Amino acid sequence: MQLTNERMFSNRDLTRLIVPLVIEQFLALFIGMADTVMVSSISESAVSAISLVDSINVLLIQLFSAMATGGAVVAAQYLGKRDNLSACGAAKQLMYISLALSMLLAILSVVFCDPILTLCFGILSPKTMDYCRDYFYLSAASYPALALYNGGAALLRAMGNSKASMFTSLMMNVVNVGGNALLIYGAGMEVAGAGTASLLSRVLGAVIMVWLLMHQQSPIHLIRPLHLDADPPMIKRIFQLGIPNGLENSMFQIGKLMVAGIISGMGESIIAGNAIANNISSMCNLTGSAIGLAIVTVVGQCIGANDIKQARYYSRRLFALVWILTIAMDVLLFFGARTVASLFSLSPEGLDAAENVLRWYAVVAALIWPASFTIPNALRAAGDARFTMLVSVVSMWAFRIGASYLLVFGFEMGLLGVWVAMFIDWVARSILFVARYRSGKWLNKRVV
């Protein structure tokens, strides 16, 4: 098909899709940051506990987030084919799968809370362990709500309605921050207060998402959601993308957990400094992550419409935008690393550690991050999930984990060694993803 002036997405369409996504990603990240900032006045043990438990949370949450991505790609490709009924069917099956998987993960997390914490982090101080336990229980209780929210948000993005998920995220943040202030400071619940506020905000998000998907006028909506009718072929299509994404994300997070285990032996000041550095660096990736979500919608619909040239055109255009914005953010981070890190209640040792790794991060991320994390979104949107899974898993275990042990214990580089190992992982991922994109093989992997 030749690329003509009849493009599927105008500049206004892209702006209306991307801007709310950027705001939504900021708000989603702010929920976690709000917990960290507001408990930093309690103690470094509280900050460390939230950081450690969140590394487990991310691993488990990524499993049903991967299903949401798989369902969104299937739905987007059906929309590109103008088959709205099948897109609605994909939405219903996605919500069922997400809810079932998240409930299973919640039950296992509660039952095996202490063994999981001990396995991941070894021996912690009694106070830190108590904080971890409180936060983990409340986090697990929120998994089903978070799964429904993520699934609903992914489906809204698939039909280009990112504004609704943005406003939902805004409401969740209001509840979370207000709940933190009331429960942490007012009721003196400390870490349990932060966990309870996050739980309430996620329940609100789930209720709003389900309500939005009940609107029958939307291109994607839930048809008879209480009528449990499994659709094996549709589930297979979702699993075809969701399982590789889930394996990729879970292996990636298991690797990060192993790295967190290395960091947990460096002392609470370093743990807290690393947690703050992770939060700040995530802020710098925010626009790139948001545009990555937009790529799933845009490229998915182009592939569904069998318009290969437009899939290439929009992916390249959005890649360039990510690179420009990433460089701009990382320049600001390089010069403002200490100023931003000092906003958190860190010890001098923790502050120095955060500043050091953030300056290194700013330089490397400006050059490599977009190729490592934005390009694979285009591959996934076309259905090339197995390749991205293979690259991510092999690179994580061969480079990030292996190099972390070597640089920390062999070369005694401390926290910086962990971050340098991450940079090596990025380089490997970037080389392979760029090569795959340029080969064009990803364009032949559609799922509908």
Side-chain angles (χ1 to χ4, degrees):
M1 181 179 294
Q2 298 295 317
L3 181 62
T4 68
N5 292 328
E6 297 296 325
R7 290 177 177 155
M8 294 180 64
F9 297 89
S10 65
N11 290 340
R12 183 178 180 183
D13 291 333
L14 294 176
T15 301
R16 291 173 64 183
L17 176 63
I18 292 171
V19 171
L21 282 175
V22 172
I23 298 173
E24 180 186 352
Q25 289 298 294
F26 170 78
L27 294 171
L29 182 62
F30 187 76
I31 288 182
M33 288 192 67
D35 287 351
T36 302
V37 171
M38 298 181 82
V39 301
S40 65
S41 61
I42 300 172
S43 67
E44 285 192 337
S45 293
V47 175
S48 298
I50 288 181
S51 171
L52 294 173
V53 172
D54 274 344
S55 64
I56 300 176
N57 284 337
V58 171
L59 166 63
L60 299 178
I61 290 169
Q62 287 292 348
L63 293 175
F64 47 81
S65 293
M67 291 300 166
T69 300
V73 170
V74 173
Q77 291 194 13
Y78 274 124
L79 287 182
K81 292 181 66 176
R82 301 295 188 266
D83 186 354
N84 290 10
L85 183 61
S86 294
C88 293
K92 184 175 180 178
Q93 300 304 312
L94 170 62
M95 298 300 273
Y96 285 160
I97 294 168
S98 298
L99 183 59
L101 178 59
S102 61
M103 290 180 67
L104 175 62
L105 291 175
I107 292 170
L108 292 175
S109 297
V110 171
V111 172
F112 298 104
C113 175
D114 281 12
I116 290 172
L117 293 173
T118 302
L119 176 64
C120 292
F121 309 120
I123 304 300
L124 299 171
S125 68
K127 191 64 174 177
T128 301
M129 187 64 174
D130 287 341
Y131 281 146
C132 284
R133 190 179 294 111
D134 291 344
Y135 197 67
F136 197 18
Y137 281 142
L138 291 163
S139 296
S142 74
Y143 291 163
L146 189 56
L148 291 177
Y149 168 77
N150 283 346
L155 292 169
L156 289 175
R157 289 192 293 267
M159 55 179 142
N161 186 9
S162 56
K163 186 180 293 186
S165 57
M166 176 195 72
F167 281 115
T168 303
S169 185
L170 176 61
M171 296 175 67
M172 292 169 66
N173 271 271
V174 170
V175 171
N176 186 62
V177 174
N180 279 342
L182 178 64
L183 299 176
I184 296 174
Y185 304 130
M189 292 176 62
E190 298 186 331
V191 169
T196 302
S198 295
L199 169 61
L200 295 175
S201 70
R202 289 166 177 173
V203 170
L204 174 65
V207 170
I208 293 174
M209 281 298 159
V210 172
W211 177 73
L212 289 172
L213 289 173
M214 293 298 293
H215 292 181
Q216 303 299 303
Q217 297 79 14
S218 299
I220 299 177
H221 57 269
L222 298 177
I223 301 173
R224 301 175 65 194
L226 298 181
H227 188 265
L228 303 178
D229 50 344
D231 184 347
M234 188 67 74
I235 293 174
K236 181 180 178 181
R237 293 186 186 97
I238 295 173
F239 279 169
Q240 184 178 339
L241 297 175
I243 289 178
N245 284 340
L247 289 173
E248 173 185 344
N249 292 339
S250 60
M251 290 298 101
F252 184 80
Q253 294 304 325
I254 287 172
K256 290 183 69 174
L257 272 177
M258 294 180 66
V259 172
I262 298 174
I263 297 171
S264 67
M266 297 181 183
E268 290 187 351
S269 293
I270 299 300
I271 296 173
N274 181 67
I276 299 307
N278 278 324
N279 280 330
I280 294 171
S281 63
S282 295
M283 291 290 292
C284 293
N285 296 335
L286 189 145
T287 53
S289 298
I291 296 172
L293 293 175
I295 287 174
V296 172
T297 298
V298 173
V299 174
Q301 290 197 25
C302 290
I303 293 296
N306 198 31
D307 197 328
I308 302 303
K309 288 194 173 183
Q310 291 209 60
R312 286 186 179 275
Y313 169 77
Y314 285 116
S315 59
R316 290 173 177 172
R317 184 177 176 187
L318 293 173
F319 292 160
L321 179 59
V322 171
W323 234 302
I324 292 170
L325 294 174
T326 300
I327 291 172
M329 293 297 294
D330 286 324
V331 168
L332 294 175
L333 175 63
F334 182 85
F335 291 105
R338 189 171 189 87
T339 300
V340 177
S342 64
L343 298 175
F344 300 81
S345 300
L346 291 172
S347 65
E349 182 184 8
L351 180 59
D352 289 342
E355 178 190 9
N356 185 35
V357 296
L358 283 172
R359 288 188 185 278
W360 277 91
Y361 175 90
V363 173
V364 179
L367 300 173
I368 302 174
W369 190 90
S372 182
F373 291 97
T374 305
I375 289 178
N377 277 342
L379 307 185
R380 295 186 191 101
D384 197 12
R386 290 186 180 180
F387 180 82
T388 62
M389 175 196 70
L390 181 63
V391 169
S392 298
V393 170
V394 172
S395 181
M396 161 61 75
W397 288 87
F399 297 107
R400 184 175 297 197
I401 297 174
S404 290
Y405 279 94
L406 177 63
L407 297 177
V408 171
F409 299 113
F411 291 87
E412 299 182 351
M413 292 179 62
L415 180 62
L416 180 60
V418 172
W419 285 66
V420 171
M422 177 177 71
F423 302 150
I424 295 171
D425 172 40
W426 290 2
V427 172
R429 288 166 53 94
S430 297
I431 292 171
L432 293 171
F433 286 142
V434 169
R436 183 69 166 188
Y437 180 84
R438 289 175 62 87
S439 74
K441 293 180 180 179
W442 59 284
L443 293 166
N444 300 317
K445 300 290 183 178
R446 68 200 67 195
V447 293
V448 301

